[in-house]
Amino acid sequence: MAKAVKAKIKLQIPGGAATPAPPVGNNLGQHQVNLMEFCKQFNAATSTKKGETVPVIITVYVDKTFTFELKTPPASELIRKKINISKGSSRPNTDKVGKITMDQIEEIAKIKLPDLNANSLEQAKKIIA
């Protein structure tokens, strides 16, 4: 029989760098989850993604156990890396900070396809664009 779910928590944590400090500690501590165990498992699972922001959905069960599911990095981060800028425009309607080609959008769409609500690569490219 399936365990009873107590909470689902969505966080964005740097890959391989989870610590019991906020935001992880604040969000998991209130559900009495073993913070060090989560940090060890998360850091092991994301050791190849150092420097990337990794979205994670943590399912906490009534018996204080947990499971987590890793997602692909946010599209905005992938776009910034692809066009080599450190941050987006402070005034997007007037100040343009970079250009992106359709080939670059296609590469990002291939990475994001498992997490997007799209049936084909063409639809995924439209979402990213």
Side-chain angles (χ1 to χ4, degrees):
M1 188 168 164
K3 296 180 186 178
V5 175
K6 183 177 181 181
K8 282 194 177 234
I9 303 164
K10 294 180 183 181
L11 296 175
Q12 291 188 359
I13 307 169
T19 61
V24 177
N26 291 352
N27 290 301
L28 295 181
Q30 65 186 352
H31 300 290
Q32 292 90 32
V33 172
N34 185 341
L35 296 175
M36 287 309 297
E37 184 62 31
F38 170 77
C39 291
K40 285 180 188 175
Q41 288 182 21
F42 179 84
N43 290 340
T46 61
S47 61
T48 60
K49 299 180 181 183
K50 289 195 185 294
E52 294 181 16
T53 302
V54 180
V56 61
I57 299 175
I58 307 159
T59 305
V60 180
Y61 300 102
V62 175
D63 62 356
K64 299 178 187 171
T65 60
F66 63 89
T67 58
F68 62 90
E69 178 184 358
L70 301 176
K71 299 289 185 177
T72 56
S76 59
E77 183 175 308
L78 294 173
I79 290 169
R80 281 196 319 267
K81 284 184 180 180
K82 194 59 78 177
I83 61 175
N84 295 321
I85 59 172
S86 60
K87 66 177 195 160
S89 175
S90 59
R91 296 186 301 171
N93 293 333
T94 56
D95 296 337
K96 305 300 180 199
V97 294
K99 292 186 182 215
I100 190 166
T101 64
M102 284 306 287
D103 291 335
Q104 291 171 321
I105 289 175
E106 184 172 347
E107 291 174 23
I108 294 170
K110 285 179 183 177
I111 294 169
K112 291 290 294 177
L113 191 59
D115 290 340
L116 292 177
N117 187 14
N119 295 326
S120 68
L121 184 59
E122 292 302 315
Q123 292 298 321
K125 285 172 31 178
K126 288 180 183 178
I127 291 171
I128 298 299

